[in-house]
Every structure is written in structure tokens, then in C-alpha cells.
Amino acid sequence: MMASTIFRGIQNHPLLLYQTALFRRKNGVFYCTMKSTETQTATQEKQKPQIKNPPRTQTKTSDKFSKDYEAVIGIETHVQLNTLTKAFCGCPYNYGSPPNTSVCPICMGLPGALPVLNSKVIELAVKVGLALNSKLSLNSKFDRKQYFYPDLPKGYQISQFDVPIASGGYIDLDLPVEFGGGHRRFGITRVHMEEDAGKLLHSENESYSQVDLNRAGVPLLEIVSEPDMRTGIEAAEYAAELQRLVRYLGVSNGNMQEGSLRCDVNVSIRPIGQAQFGTKVEIKNLNSFSSVSRAIDFEISRQVLLHSQGQGDQITQETRLWEEGAQKTVTMRKKEGLADYRYFPEPDLPGVILTKEYVNSIRDSLPELPEVKRRRYEKMGLSMQDVLFLANDVNVAEFFDATIAKGADVKLAANWIMGDIAAYMKNEKLTINEIKLIPQELAELIASIKGGTISGKIGKEILFELLAKGGTVKGLIKEKDLVQIVDPMEIEKIVDKVLSENPKQLEQYRGGKTKLQGYFAGQVMKLSKGKANPGLLNKILLEKLNAQS
Amino acid sequence: MLATLQPPRTLSRFPLYLTSRPVTLCTLTAQSPPSTSPPSQPPHSQILSIRHSLLTRQVTAAQLAESHLSRLRLTEPHLKSFLHVSDSDAVLRQAALLDQRIASGEEVGPLAGVVVGVKDNICTADMPSTGGSRVLEGYRPAYDATAVRKIKELGGIVVGKTNLDEFGMGSTTEASAFQVTANPWDVSRVPGGSSGGSAAAVSARQCVVSLGSDTGGSVRQPASFCGVVGLKPTYGRVSRYGLMAYASSLDVIGCFGSSVADTGILLHAISGHDRLDATSSKREVPDFASQFASINLLESKPLKGLRVGVIRETLDEGVDTGVISAIRGAASHLEELGCSVTEISLPSFSLGLPAYYILASSESSSNLSRYDGVRYGNQAVADELNSLYGDSRAKGFGPEVKMRILMGTYGLSAGYYDAYYKRAQQVRTIIRKSFKTALDENDILISPAAPSAAYKIGEKIDDPLAMYAGDIMTVNVNLAGLPALVLPCGFVEGGTAGLPVGLQMIGAAFDEEKLLKVGHIFEQTLQNCRFVPPLIEDDAAW
């Protein structure tokens, strides 16, 4: 077929020379795509926002003035929906497939081909609209957004213009404790459905470009925020909360590296107290939450510096590119007036009509969302640090919920998950769904320790066994004969044995060197193969040590 | 099912010269048919007659195909109806396969052995499909349009791709990038357009039936010019999948035949919901073929009680007097058949033309964006992206297409959208409503299919406004999405044998059944009019 079309002799536009990014002009939407060849092995855990403190690359001058200005930040996010097939044809989409292997006459824009909407797209859009507390349009429609670019096979993108499927709304989030914490509510302007474009692959020497249409026609939601954010951290947390939300909803993998979640941010500054917005600058090529945060903070400093030097007029409406290597933004293109996309209603698709019953049925099927989960965890008495950790990843939260549903102590369950289990997952590069331990056994483990069947130390040993190989707590205890010794007589015997075998130490102890109690306890534990109940052991040991012989 | 209907008495695909039926007055107009003309027999269904002959083993599909191919070869140099003629070996192979199946007693589809022409803006797998445009020169689609697939599945044989105005934009085929088709009634005249190739091919019996497309009259006007039956179905009746989009909200695939029955049978074959076209209707497709009763069975007033509205605005200034009298004659004929004919007014009628040209151009400016030279079709050699686009499109599109893209781009531009596109949509709503009212009060509406009969090649080529004005009779029907049937009803002076005039019957949405019934009775009872063009008149031996 006409897969892998080569453009004969197209020279890349000088503006397009930035090597790590492939991008489209005119569209106003920049699809940042990592040059990264690194395959996606990262777990969701790994992708939890790890926002470092913004590097202090700016000059002192800007710091001095920064307190006089506030930044206004709005974000446009594109979320790739994880439908089995594309938005308007039956092609599957799998990230990383060889170029042009997931294409058909429809998504290639061949003459005569027509789009037919995948109804799953509507369902997922409604889910997101509801989760963002938005007002759904029961009567919306698709429109054509027209511009020419080689990755856009039809010469127009099927999108929604004046009647998005959802408008208004908000998202709630809690800032990380390390950044001062605090609850925030950011407004949502609109949510609309559209199709993705393909990708351009530029040759090494840039003498030609190739088009890969695998991604063309993949369904996207564009979520536009109100300009409610004021700092890089807030913006990054907004993006992270959106990622959390789509993952909780199961509508997208939300993976930034694969481009399943893409953020373009608009930043302007204004003197504190001024109501009018300053000139906004759009930043693209943000491939992680930390780059969102750092790019914004850099941009704020840049703009503040210009203002403070009386060069505020040099801030022009433009699109800037975040350069990860240099940790700065650079001009990508100046806006040449407002692009005219000549939107008009898509005549190939009937209107999108939702019934109230349909919306209600979806509302009823929504899972517990991050904000509600966090408030619930908070009420359970967990610290905000714990709450944020557990609720960050929907799978971790589900694991935690399942564990406490089996009766496990809330705080203990949280500690196990955040401690040894998280460490194990990190070391082994596993997600919580990949470990062999199941919530029921974690609950059993916690109960066994609490009930004194095993010691905490043995509990840890069993835990690693369970994480790596699975099995049941009861089975392992039995198999390895790990039941805690709680019979005082038995412990007494061991204590006696230890005391009699260490007469010298005993003498020293009784001579006043009471620190040796630890030594004896260790010996008893060792002899009991770790099974002695520590409380009993210490009680009996102390009695014996202090007994007058 | 089809074979049981009106089994024809002979194999001939031409009107037989039998005695005329004493039903109604003839509908002669400005000019009588040629005096040499023998008494005429109403047209009969070629499709039914082919089926009958095949099933009774009077003839083989291979023989039928061969005879069409040789006729095609003979007439094509005069007409140039086809942009691409199928490889004759391939055609004969398909026919031979059908013959084998018939010989072994297997079922064959209702279109078995029927040679079909397909307008070149309808995709055919592994056959050139250019849409009449340089931009797609040499392009061979990877798939069959749904309508084509259905025809093939029912045994039809695609004999070639017919000429058209580039992407359907024109009324004469003069806007084809490749050739101008001649009218079989007078080769110095245009066959109409944009489906001129399909109309001429059926008129000259180069094929039995053909597919066209109708965005603003592109099936009906050439049917009128070429003296054949043309059917524009309700929007949504036939899948558009595989039809190169001109104006998506107006485009329909339509049918040409030499009899009403043939167009009805073809329509039945291609109709129905298609999961590949979201605008195709899920309505059930009635068995149109049951409408084609033999005229022997007709009562004296077979259309008694049928309310026919003559659209006053279509018989006004600017319409040829010959055409007006042909339509008035047709109206009397309908009265003779029992209809109650009244004149009605559609005040919004004249608004249709500007609204149509705004909407069609706007949609086309978008639909034609995909012809950018990047993925298929002609690609200009360029050293940077904008030149690649610019040159590919500058060299690929003809002047008419460029003009419409410019107009459409303008109409959709920021600041002009409300004044043009949006206003035209509002007009469209008004037109739809006024048709609805008129069709609540009448069963069908009638009008000419075009303000004149076929004109000379080159006559209007430098006057686009005059050319556009020629679409006045048909565009309203597209804006309202209604079905319309055009069938020859008389002649006006011109050429050596007169020029045919088409009557347009407009029905309610999805009521093709009624149009076909009325059209069939009209056609079967029309006297002394024989719509076989002089080009092939002598060729009655086959």
C-alpha cells in the first residue's frame, strides 16, 4: 500500500530544526514527542510526580522583583483515550507499532472514505466530563478544523468547536506536603473530543521526512483549564491530578512519555493587584510533570526580569519550546495573527445526542475518584503524606482498600505498603499489580503479627517471600515452622539455657552492666529461631536477670 | 423474484416496434419525433430481459458482455463517455464465470450479466478512479465503494469508469481534466453533467445501467439531456462510502437506466444502511421492483387520486418555451392517467441556487483538502513543504475546482461565516420546510429537470453564472435531501432527431417507491416518443 510515503525533496523548514521534537505548525497544538528510544518500562509508581525544586538558574534581579508580580497559568491537556479502536475507523492503536501498520482507507484519508464514530469515545468523554464536575451538552456535534500539514491526512481534524461535549467544572487536588501542602480547586473551561494526527519522522540529514499515520485518528480529549494556576508546582500538580483522574477512570494510560497525556501551558505575569492579564506565552515540549513545573518557573522568571528591566513590551504572544537540556525556554514561532481554521460542522457525522438516562447510567458506574478517596483516607486518620502516597496510584489505592476491607489495621496496612512493599516494587521495578502478594495475605500478615502468631521480624521475612513467590501467610508459617513461641514455660526454658551458657555476662549484668539485657535478648531470640514473643521474652528475661540467685 | 416480473417477450434490449397501446394522449411538443420513426413501444427493463434470457439459456452472459463491449468500442470514439474501459478479457472472464454458475444451476444475483458503468468519482478497487481530476491521475483505490461492491455481489459487471466534470463540479463534462463527452443525440452538444459520461453511456447503450452522483443535479440534468431515466435517491438511502466527496451533506449516488424499472432495480441493489457511512439511513428498503407492473394490467386511470403539484416557479422566465410545453404536456398526461394536477408555489425556490453554491463550495473546499500530493495522486517536485502543497494542487486541479475552493474558503472564513455559510444553512432550513409543506399537500411535485435541452459544447464554458443558473431546477431537491426521478417526456427542436426533455418528479423523503411507480406508469403509457438516440438508431440488429 502507500504506507511509508516519502516526501521527495522536502527540506525542513529552518524553524523545524529542533532535533528532539517533532511538531506541527499552524495547529496551535504541539504534540511533544520524546526523541527517547527508551522503551516504556516505567511503572505508574515511577511516574508519580517527582517534582524537584526549581533550579535557581535565574538571576538575583528577578528574585528581587518576583514578589511584585504574580503569574497566571492555564493548561491545555490532550488525553489519548484507550479505546480498542481509533475514533472513526476500526484500526487498533498500539504505541510503538512499526510505521503505517495500523492504518486503513479511513484514517489515511483516502478518497471516498468516511468517518464513523466509535461510540466508546462518547462514553469515555462523558466519564471525564462528569469526573471534572462539568456540565454535559446533551446535544453536541463534531466540527472540522482545517489546516494543512503532512501528518493530517484529510487536511482537517475532526474536532469540536462551539459546542464541546462538556463545559465548566473544576478539579480538586492537594499539593504535596514537601511543597507546603494545601488544597486547591482549579477551574475547567471545557472538554472536547477530537482525533489525533499522525507523526512525522525526519531523516538524519533532514533531507526528507516520512509520515507515520498509525496515530492518525486515535481519539483524544482536549481538556482546557481556567487560568487558575499561579506557580509551576500548581500547574504540575494540576497535570498530575488529571493523570490520576484518567487512570482512576480507566479512560487512558495517561503516560506522558508515550504522549498519551500532553500538556501545553500558557503563562503570563502581571503586577500583583492588577486584574488585567499580561501577554501570554505558550510553552510546548513538556514531557514530564517536573518539566511542566520547571519550564513555568523559568518562564515566570524570564518575564519578571524583562518587566523589572522595563522591557515588558518584549514579552510577545508566541510559542516557546522547553529545552530540557539547557533548562530554558526558547522562541519556537511568533504568532502571526490568529490562525483561521475555518471550522464548520462535520457533515459526515450525525450530531452527538446524549440522553439523561445514558448520562446517569455512566454517573452511577463511576469509580471512587481521587479527591473523594483522599478525603476518605484523611478521615481514617492517615497523615496527608500517607494519604497522598496511597491515593496517588489507583492500583496502590485499590490494593490498600482491599487490604483494609479484609480487616487489616489502617495505619499498619499503610505502613507496610508505603514501606517494605513500595521499596520492593522500586527495587524490582514492578507495579503493585505485578507483585505476588495479594491484599488478603497482607491483611493476614498484619493480623498474625498483631495477634502474636508471628513476630514482626518474622513477618518481614514472610512478606518478602510473599512478594516474590506468593503463597499464603498460614502456609508459610506452617511450612517454615515460624509460629511464635508464646508459651512462658518454653521461653523460660530458653532463657534459662542462655543464662546458664553465659555465666560471665550474667555476672557482669548483675554487677551493674544492665546494657547487657539486649545481648541476652538477642541470644534468646537466636536460640528460638526468632520465634519467641518479644514481649514475653523481655518480661521473663528481666525477671530472671534480676532474680537474686 | 425479479424474474417473475413482467417477463419480456424477446431478448432485444431496444424498444420493440409493436402496436401502440391505447392508453393516453401522446406528449409531443415543439417538434414531432422524426417521421421515419416507427410506432414505438414503451421502454422495457433491460435488466429483467437479460435475466430472463440468461435463465432460459437463450443467451450467455459472455455473449451479452461481448455485444456491449463491441458496441462500446464502436461508439466510444464519437462519445468519449468513458475515462477507463475495463480490460475486455477480465469482463469476459467474469461473464464466463456467471455462465458456469448458471449452467450448474447455481443461483445468480439479480444483476447477473448486467453491464454497469460507474462514474469515475466512485471508487473501484484496482481500477483507475480519478474523479476526472489530474490530481488523481493514475490513482487506483484499494477498495470498492459500497455501491460498487453491492453491484458486484449481485452479479453486475463493471465495464468501465465514466467521464465527469472534475469531482462533480460542472454541468457539461467540459470541466473534466481529460476529455469532453458528447451527447449521443447530437455529438456537437454536451451530455450534461457532471455525470455526463454515465448518462451518455446508457443513452448509447454502451452499458445497461450506470451509477452517477448527484450533488446539485448531476444525475438528473444529464439524464434529461441524454433522454434516459435518472434517479436521485433520498439523502442517506445509498451509502456514500467510496464516493469521492464533493459536498458531503448533499452528495448522493444515483442511478441511470433506459427504463424506470432498470433504475429502480439498480437502486434496490445499492440501497440500505452501511456501517461505513454514518449518514446512511437504517430505514428498510422496500422492494422497488414490485412497482413495475405490466401495462397490460393497468386500469384506465392507474394513477387515480394521485395529487401532483406543478412547481410554478420552474415554468417561469428563463426556461425554454419548448421545455415548458413538454412539461405541460407531461402534466396533461398525468391528468389523463387519473392524477389531480395543480400548480403550486415554492416561494423559497429562487433562494436555492445561491444557498447551494455557498454550501457546496464551502464543503468542497474542505473535502478537497486531502488532495495535497502527500499520500497519493500527483505530487509536484518541490524543495519545501508549502511549494509541495501549492504546486501539487495548482497543477492537479482545474479552474472550476479552484474557483469553488476559493469561494468555499471565503465563505467559511472568520468574519464571513455568518454572512455566507450560516445564512445559507438557514435558507436550507426554509427550503426544506417549504418542500415539506408542499409534499404534505401533494404526493409528488413536478418540474423540468433543466431549463433547456442539451446545448452546444463550449456554449457556456466562459459564462459560469449562466452555467450555474442551469442548476436552478435541481439544487433545491439536494438542499431538502429529497428523492427525485427524471425521465424523458418529450422533445424540443435540435440535432437531427430532436433533443429529449426530462420531467423531474420530486417525492417525499424515502418515498422512491411512489416515484418509481408513477414514473413507470408514465413511461409505459407515453405515446409516440422513442428515446433512442440517432447515433445508434441503425444498430437494431444486435
Side-chain angles (χ1 to χ4, degrees):
Chain A
M1 271 210 290
M2 47 221 72
S4 178
T5 307
I6 295 174
F7 295 57
R8 295 185 291 269
I10 299 179
Q11 271 178 4
N12 286 306
H13 195 279
L15 279 177
L16 299 177
L17 291 180
Y18 184 71
Q19 295 218 338
T20 63
L22 309 169
F23 48 85
R24 49 212 273 198
R25 295 174 293 164
K26 306 280 181 194
N27 184 9
V29 180
F30 173 74
Y31 291 60
C32 39
T33 310
M34 295 288 281
K35 75 172 170 186
S36 100
T37 46
E38 79 189 66
T39 46
Q40 178 55 38
T41 50
T43 61
Q44 292 197 2
E45 190 54 37
K46 252 180 91 178
Q47 289 181 19
K48 104 187 164 83
Q50 294 177 331
I51 299 152
K52 295 163 198 128
N53 279 309
R56 312 266 67 190
T57 50
Q58 282 79 48
T59 63
K60 292 275 180 230
T61 331
S62 70
D63 285 344
K64 202 166 74 193
F65 287 95
S66 59
K67 65 180 190 304
D68 302 330
Y69 293 91
E70 76 170 347
V72 175
I73 301 157
I75 304 189
E76 275 175 30
T77 310
H78 287 87
V79 175
Q80 208 172 67
L81 298 176
N82 59 2
T83 49
L84 288 178
T85 55
K86 294 184 182 180
F88 301 110
C89 65
C91 292
Y93 174 66
N94 295 306
Y95 178 79
S97 309
N100 297 310
T101 52
S102 220
V103 291
C104 73
I106 298 165
C107 55
M108 284 195 288
L110 295 192
L114 296 170
V116 176
L117 179 64
N118 176 352
S119 60
K120 192 78 181 170
V121 175
I122 304 275
E123 187 192 318
L124 303 190
V126 169
K127 277 187 180 175
V128 171
L130 290 172
L132 289 170
N133 311 291
S134 299
K135 185 175 176 296
L136 291 169
S137 310
L138 296 182
N139 260 307
S140 70
K141 64 183 169 84
F142 284 98
D143 300 278
R144 291 185 183 177
K145 177 181 182 174
Q146 309 191 65
Y147 62 93
F148 285 100
Y149 205 61
D151 64 5
L152 190 70
K154 298 187 293 297
Y156 55 83
Q157 178 192 31
I158 302 178
S159 181
Q160 293 194 291
F161 179 49
D162 50 344
V163 193
I165 189 153
S167 47
Y170 56 86
I171 190 165
D172 286 311
L173 56 86
D174 293 282
L175 293 180
V177 182
E178 59 267 36
F179 295 116
H183 186 264
R184 294 283 188 281
R185 172 170 289 185
F186 297 127
I188 299 293
T189 311
R190 58 183 277 160
V191 179
H192 74 249
M193 304 176 279
E194 61 184 28
E195 59 177 338
D196 211 341
K199 274 183 194 172
L200 291 193
L201 309 167
H202 302 296
S203 69
E204 294 257 320
N205 60 3
E206 313 225 324
S207 63
Y208 64 91
S209 302
Q210 291 172 299
V211 188
D212 174 9
L213 293 178
N214 280 347
R215 204 178 63 178
V218 169
L220 298 178
L221 288 186
E222 181 175 320
I223 301 169
V224 182
S225 83
E226 290 289 305
D228 287 352
M229 280 72 80
R230 294 290 173 268
T231 64
I233 291 297
E234 284 187 349
E237 283 303 318
Y238 164 85
E241 184 68 12
L242 269 189
Q243 182 190 60
R244 224 167 271 134
L245 193 73
V246 298
R247 286 177 173 174
Y248 268 60
L249 291 169
V251 304
S252 170
N253 70 19
N255 196 320
M256 284 187 102
Q257 264 82 49
E258 289 179 10
S260 306
L261 189 125
R262 306 187 279 250
C263 294
D264 299 334
V265 303
N266 285 299
V267 182
S268 64
I269 62 162
R270 61 183 172 191
I272 285 172
Q274 180 184 307
Q276 201 189 336
F277 291 147
T279 305
K280 72 175 177 189
V281 165
E282 187 178 11
I283 311 174
K284 293 174 175 296
N285 197 30
L286 302 171
N287 298 321
S288 66
F289 297 126
S290 80
S291 58
V292 168
S293 165
R294 282 178 283 121
I296 289 171
D297 287 339
F298 173 88
E299 184 59 24
I300 293 170
S301 301
R302 188 186 72 88
Q303 293 186 19
V304 165
L305 185 63
L306 284 171
H307 263 286
S308 65
Q309 293 171 342
Q311 296 177 321
D313 57 345
Q314 289 201 12
I315 302 169
T316 53
Q317 196 169 337
E318 61 175 341
T319 300
R320 295 178 72 86
L321 209 60
W322 173 245
E323 286 191 347
E324 193 68 52
Q327 293 283 303
K328 62 176 190 176
T329 64
V330 294
T331 296
M332 178 175 142
R333 60 164 185 264
K334 303 273 181 193
K335 283 261 192 297
E336 311 131 352
L338 199 63
D340 185 357
Y341 295 118
R342 306 191 313 280
Y343 282 100
F344 77 104
E346 166 58 281
D348 287 331
L349 293 167
V352 178
I353 294 163
L354 308 175
T355 63
K356 282 189 173 142
E357 295 72 47
Y358 175 76
V359 173
N360 288 337
S361 73
I362 290 181
R363 196 193 309 271
D364 294 342
S365 75
L366 289 183
E368 184 181 41
L369 296 172
E371 172 67 6
V372 176
K373 208 176 268 292
R374 285 193 298 263
R375 297 289 78 85
R376 182 163 63 83
Y377 288 174
E378 212 177 10
K379 277 191 191 138
M380 288 169 153
L382 292 171
S383 73
M384 186 47 73
Q385 191 108 25
D386 294 1
V387 167
L388 292 180
F389 183 97
L390 293 169
N392 177 54
D393 180 332
V394 64
N395 296 315
V396 171
E398 275 169 11
F399 192 96
F400 173 69
D401 285 340
T403 306
I404 57 175
K406 292 288 174 192
D409 179 274
V410 169
K411 185 64 192 165
L412 291 177
N415 287 345
W416 279 103
I417 292 172
M418 293 165 55
D420 292 320
I421 296 174
Y424 175 80
M425 293 187 326
K426 198 177 172 191
N427 286 338
E428 302 293 318
K429 295 193 166 59
L430 293 175
T431 68
I432 200 150
N433 293 341
E434 290 165 331
I435 61 174
K436 298 279 167 40
L437 174 73
I438 59 171
Q440 174 156 13
E441 292 310 314
L442 178 59
E444 181 71 34
L445 185 70
I446 292 168
S448 301
I449 297 168
K450 211 178 177 186
T453 315
I454 53 173
S455 65
K457 185 160 176 279
I458 293 210
K460 243 181 203 197
E461 280 171 30
I462 291 182
L463 178 79
F464 287 108
E465 192 86 12
L466 291 168
L467 284 168
K469 296 181 188 152
T472 64
V473 175
K474 284 199 171 107
L476 280 171
I477 291 173
K478 203 173 165 198
E479 185 189 315
K480 304 201 174 211
D481 187 23
L482 294 171
V483 181
Q484 196 170 40
I485 302 165
V486 288
D487 181 354
M489 300 291 282
E490 209 169 319
I491 293 175
E492 203 178 330
K493 267 188 222 162
I494 304 169
V495 171
D496 286 344
K497 189 157 187 265
V498 169
L499 294 183
S500 64
E501 281 170 6
N502 295 282
K504 206 167 159 194
Q505 283 83 353
L506 184 61
E507 199 173 311
Q508 287 176 341
Y509 177 90
R510 288 185 173 152
K513 210 170 175 188
T514 49
K515 271 197 289 184
L516 280 170
Q517 187 198 338
Y519 168 78
F520 287 111
Q523 291 301 309
V524 174
M525 200 49 107
K526 194 174 163 192
L527 205 61
S528 75
K529 294 181 188 133
K531 292 189 290 181
N533 177 303
L536 272 176
L537 182 151
N538 278 323
K539 185 167 163 268
I540 294 169
L541 179 66
L542 219 59
E543 278 169 14
K544 295 265 177 194
L545 284 172
N546 297 335
Q548 297 304 314
S549 51
Chain B
M1 160 201 89
L2 292 171
T4 62
L5 292 165
Q6 197 198 4
R9 273 144 287 173
T10 81
L11 171 59
S12 166
R13 270 150 292 151
F14 279 131
L16 294 173
Y17 310 139
L18 298 183
T19 52
S20 57
R21 300 205 177 266
V23 183
T24 64
L25 297 169
C26 78
T27 320
L28 296 186
T29 59
Q31 183 189 320
S32 299
S35 53
T36 52
S37 178
S40 66
Q41 148 89 357
H44 69 275
S45 165
Q46 288 190 66
I47 294 179
L48 293 180
S49 117
I50 285 168
R51 183 165 186 83
H52 180 74
S53 335
L54 285 177
L55 295 182
T56 54
R57 319 283 164 88
Q58 294 174 41
V59 72
T60 65
Q63 286 171 320
L64 283 169
E66 182 55 57
S67 86
H68 270 101
L69 281 172
S70 60
R71 162 171 311 279
L72 200 155
R73 280 192 284 267
L74 212 65
T75 49
E76 188 56 14
H78 308 286
L79 294 180
K80 298 188 188 142
S81 324
F82 286 87
L83 287 175
H84 171 78
V85 178
S86 304
D87 173 50
S88 57
D89 290 345
V91 168
L92 293 175
R93 257 200 313 279
Q94 288 177 60
L97 221 66
L98 281 168
D99 286 329
Q100 276 176 25
R101 293 177 56 194
I102 292 168
S104 61
E106 275 179 63
E107 274 287 314
V108 286
L111 296 182
V114 174
V115 170
V116 185
V118 175
K119 190 177 180 181
D120 203 38
N121 61 350
I122 300 173
C123 289
T124 44
D126 302 322
M127 256 168 103
S129 302
T130 66
S133 181
R134 287 266 174 234
V135 90
L136 284 180
E137 195 169 5
Y139 173 67
R140 287 169 182 259
Y143 69 98
D144 274 328
T146 300
V148 171
R149 176 178 58 77
K150 287 186 168 189
I151 287 172
K152 287 181 175 174
E153 282 169 4
L154 296 179
I157 298 170
V158 176
V159 72
K161 304 301 295 290
T162 58
N163 191 29
L164 71 161
D165 293 290
E166 187 174 2
F167 290 119
M169 299 180 185
S171 311
T172 61
T173 73
E174 290 165 303
S176 166
F178 304 106
Q179 62 197 37
V180 179
T181 299
N183 191 316
W185 290 83
D186 176 354
V187 292
S188 71
R189 289 174 191 270
V190 299
S194 65
S195 312
S198 288
V202 167
S203 173
R205 274 56 171 178
Q206 293 177 312
C207 54
V208 177
V209 287
S210 62
L211 290 182
S213 67
D214 191 318
T215 305
S218 283
V219 163
R220 290 161 289 157
Q221 181 254 24
S224 177
F225 281 16
C226 291
V228 295
V229 181
L231 176 59
K232 178 231 173 269
T234 311
Y235 184 82
R237 176 65 94 189
V238 178
S239 168
R240 292 185 291 118
Y241 192 75
L243 169 66
M244 294 171 191
Y246 160 18
S248 311
S249 72
L250 303 163
D251 293 341
V252 289
I253 289 181
C255 311
F256 290 98
S258 57
S259 64
V260 172
D262 281 352
T263 56
I265 293 167
L266 182 60
L267 175 67
H268 189 260
I270 62 173
S271 289
H273 178 67
D274 179 7
R275 56 178 190 81
L276 295 173
D277 176 4
T279 63
S280 70
S281 167
K282 288 188 174 148
R283 275 174 191 251
E284 215 171 299
V285 181
D287 182 5
F288 302 127
S290 63
Q291 300 297 312
F292 310 129
S294 163
I295 52 163
N296 300 318
L297 306 173
L298 295 182
E299 307 155 26
S300 62
K301 300 278 185 194
L303 295 178
K304 195 158 185 272
L306 191 89
R307 297 161 304 166
V308 175
V310 183
I311 306 172
R312 182 180 303 140
E313 287 79 3
T314 65
L315 298 173
D316 233 346
E317 256 177 77
V319 183
D320 278 11
T321 51
V323 170
I324 293 177
S325 52
I327 300 307
R328 295 227 184 269
S332 330
H333 182 55
L334 285 167
E335 267 182 327
E336 286 294 322
L337 294 169
C339 301
S340 66
V341 179
T342 52
E343 235 178 49
I344 62 125
S345 174
L346 288 175
S348 60
F349 195 82
S350 63
L351 301 176
L353 204 58
Y356 167 80
Y357 271 97
I358 288 168
L359 294 177
S361 300
S362 296
E363 290 187 26
S364 72
S365 73
S366 173
N367 284 326
L368 270 53
S369 296
R370 68 185 60 195
Y371 306 112
D372 55 9
V374 173
R375 280 146 293 125
Y376 45 77
N378 272 349
Q379 183 179 75
V381 177
D383 55 11
E384 54 93 32
L385 187 57
N386 281 328
S387 326
L388 175 96
Y389 282 138
D391 292 356
S392 297
R393 288 167 69 82
K395 288 172 188 158
F397 291 138
E400 181 64 34
V401 168
K402 284 177 190 160
M403 182 156 66
R404 294 197 197 193
I405 290 175
L406 283 172
M407 290 196 297
T409 304
Y410 187 81
L412 288 175
S413 293
Y416 298 96
Y417 181 89
D418 287 355
Y420 294 105
Y421 183 84
K422 196 169 164 194
R423 194 130 168 257
Q425 284 290 23
Q426 289 160 346
V427 169
R428 186 175 186 174
T429 306
I430 293 170
I431 288 170
R432 195 176 281 152
K433 280 184 187 151
S434 73
F435 267 102
K436 176 88 175 65
T437 311
L439 283 163
D440 283 344
E441 290 160 5
N442 296 277
D443 291 292
I444 63 166
L445 306 177
I446 63 169
S447 78
S452 73
Y455 41 85
K456 295 275 188 184
I457 291 170
E459 192 177 325
K460 296 191 181 176
I461 203 160
D462 295 323
D463 190 355
L465 282 181
M467 189 96 84
Y468 293 176
D471 298 335
I472 181 81
M473 301 296 173
T474 45
V475 292
N476 282 282
V477 176
N478 297 80
L479 290 170
L482 300 173
L485 179 71
V486 165
L487 67 171
C489 69
F491 290 93
V492 295
E493 213 165 322
T496 57
L499 298 170
V501 173
L503 167 70
Q504 176 172 234
M505 298 177 175
I506 303 162
F510 296 99
D511 201 1
E512 288 89 354
E513 206 172 1
K514 190 181 283 161
L515 292 178
L516 289 165
K517 178 184 170 190
V518 177
H520 176 71
I521 292 170
F522 181 96
E523 161 197 89
Q524 295 297 314
T525 53
L526 191 66
Q527 297 303 301
N528 294 337
C529 289
R530 185 168 164 268
F531 296 99
V532 177
L535 184 76
I536 58 160
E537 191 144 38
D538 303 332
D539 186 18
W542 54 287

